[in-house]
Amino acid sequence: QVQLVESGGGLVQPGGSLRLSCAASGTISTFTAMGWYRQAPGKEREFVAFISNRGMTVYSDSLEGRFTISRDNAKNTAYLQMNSLKPEDTAVYYCSPGTYNVRTFYPAKWGQGTQVTVSS
C-alpha cells in the first residue's frame, strides 16, 4: 500500500508562486520516479513533470520553464515549485509514484489532489 499526501495548493494571483508537496509512505521502493499531473475543470488529466529517483527531470513543453520539480529522497517527498502562475494553471494537481522509460512517465498511484486557483 502506498499513501500520498499532497499539500500546498491555494488561491494565488496571476504572476504569483506556489510550492506543492507530495509526501509518500508505504511500499514505494518499487517506483523509480515521482510525477505531477493536473486536471482542469472539464479537461482531461495532463502530465506536468516527473523526476526520477536519481534526479533526472522531464517537463511538459507547455510549462515554458515556469515550474520546477524536485525531491527529497530521505523524506520520500516530491515538490513542485510553480512560478509566474497564470489563470490557465488553475487545476487540481495530483502527484503519483511510478516508473519511466526515457522521457515517458507511467503513473501507478494517485493522491487526493490539491487545488490550485490562479485568479485576481
Side-chain angles (χ1 to χ4, degrees), residues 97-113:
T99 58
Y100 72 99
N101 181 14
V102 189
R103 297 178 61 84
T104 301
F105 178 70
Y106 302 97
K109 301 285 184 180
W110 297 106
Q112 83 285 355

Side-chain angles (χ1 to χ4, degrees), residues 10 13 25 45 61 77 96 111:
Q13 292 187 343
S25 61
R45 193 170 298 187
D61 291 340
T77 299
S96 172

